[in-house]
Every structure is written in structure tokens, then in C-alpha cells.
Amino acid sequence: MQNHPLIHWHSMFMGVALLAAARSKDARKRNGACIASADNKILGVGYNGLPRGCDDDDPSYWSDDDADPANSRHSYIVHAEVNAILNCVVLPLNGSTIYTTQYPCPRCVQSIIQVGIKRVVFLEKKSHQVANNQASDKMLVDAQIEVLSLDELEAAAARWCDKLNGFVRDTPET
């Protein structure tokens, strides 16, 4: 009898991204990312959060006034994709894949391109972020980065990750 793994590589890497997202203290949206090499080794993991040394308990970091950069969490939070790159054990990341819980914003796409990542696999894409998505799309196409939703890449992996995401979201921290 031949043994088969419980989950596919795509499920594992997106599962790591989802588990990393559970570490985020961003109450609005927890995001995670996992970078995998072409030979299925994890190179870096990250989640959206404040830079080291910034106090997570300081409410000014978590304000939502986007009209005022000093009072907008978007000015302070390091995105999951960038944290995964910064946490990498090797650079450049030529030929690697980044698994993200959310479609990357233009700032993250710039970093993804610069370090040599060649494929983006994502779970969700914010439909209301039309202009940001268009900017990300343009750079990804121009840089010849392959982009796939997990669902179109491996539907079974997407279903498995959806279950994991529900479990992570519904499990209270002890």
C-alpha cells in the first residue's frame, strides 16, 4: 500500500500563511504570507504587524483615519508579504512562490518583484480596491510574475485552507 501525504504542498504553504495571520494583532484584517522555494522549502513567513520596538498597545498605531497619515494604521503596519521577505533565510528568492492570504498591494508587489519571486498564490482579492489591484496587476504582468488564486490552482487546497481559516478564526486564544 502506497502512503500519500495528508495535504498538498499548496495546502501546506497557504496553511502556514493562515497560521501566521493568526499572530497578527490587526483587528481589521489579519494577513499572512509564506515563501516557498521551487523545491518546496519554506524560506520565509510573515504576518501584518508593527515594526519591532513599536508598542502594540499604543492605540495611535491602530487608528483608522486614512485622511491623516499620523492617525492611520496603514502608515505603521508592515504587510505580511514584506515581513515574509524580511524574515527570509536567503536572498535573492529567484524562482520562489509567495502564498498570501490576500492579493498583494502595489507596495508589496514592488518588494516581491525586487527579490526575484516568480509566482504569487493568493486566497482573497479585495474587489473594492480596484485602483490598487490594477496597479498590482500591471506590475506583475510587466515583470512576468505568474499570479493564481489558490482556488484556480488547486481547488482541493482552497477548500482545505477555507476549513483551516475557519478553525483559526473561531479558536479563542488561551
Side-chain angles (χ1 to χ4, degrees):
M1 183 166 118
Q2 189 177 25
N3 289 333
H4 296 285
L6 179 61
I7 61 173
H8 189 279
W9 286 115
H10 300 302
S11 299
M12 183 176 121
F13 298 134
M14 191 61 80
V16 169
L18 286 165
L19 291 172
R23 290 285 310 146
S24 175
K25 294 179 181 173
D26 187 344
R28 295 282 311 264
K29 181 65 177 163
R30 291 180 169 93
N31 289 309
C34 176
I35 301 170
S37 67
D39 62 345
N40 298 317
K41 305 283 188 284
I42 294 175
L43 303 175
V45 176
Y47 58 88
N48 58 322
L50 296 177
R52 285 186 182 99
C54 295
D55 183 4
D56 286 326
D57 294 324
D58 182 341
S60 64
Y61 286 129
W62 303 106
S63 299
D64 275 321
D65 183 0
D66 289 338
D68 178 5
N71 288 304
S72 171
R73 66 187 172 83
H74 294 102
S75 296
Y76 302 112
I77 291 174
V78 180
H79 290 188
E81 299 90 339
V82 172
N83 265 328
I85 290 167
L86 293 172
N87 291 331
C88 273
V89 294
V90 330
L91 284 176
L93 300 171
N94 294 334
S96 62
T97 298
I98 188 165
Y99 292 80
T100 64
T101 57
Q102 187 169 284
Y103 190 76
C105 73
R107 252 184 6 193
C108 292
V109 167
Q110 293 166 354
S111 295
I112 287 167
I113 292 167
Q114 287 299 95
V115 297
I117 292 171
K118 284 298 175 196
R119 181 164 62 166
V120 173
V121 178
F122 66 94
L123 270 183
E124 300 176 323
K125 192 172 191 177
K126 288 183 175 179
S127 58
H128 68 280
Q129 294 283 343
V130 175
N132 278 338
N133 291 342
Q134 287 175 338
S136 291
D137 291 343
K138 178 175 177 29
M139 287 186 286
L140 290 164
V141 167
D142 288 351
Q144 299 176 349
I145 307 295
E146 181 183 15
V147 180
L148 298 162
S149 72
L150 184 61
D151 192 45
E152 65 186 336
L153 178 65
E154 179 75 34
R159 288 190 300 274
W160 186 88
C161 287
D162 190 47
K163 289 178 187 175
L164 177 61
N165 194 20
F167 174 77
V168 168
R169 231 185 3 251
D170 297 338
T171 303
E173 186 173 336
T174 56

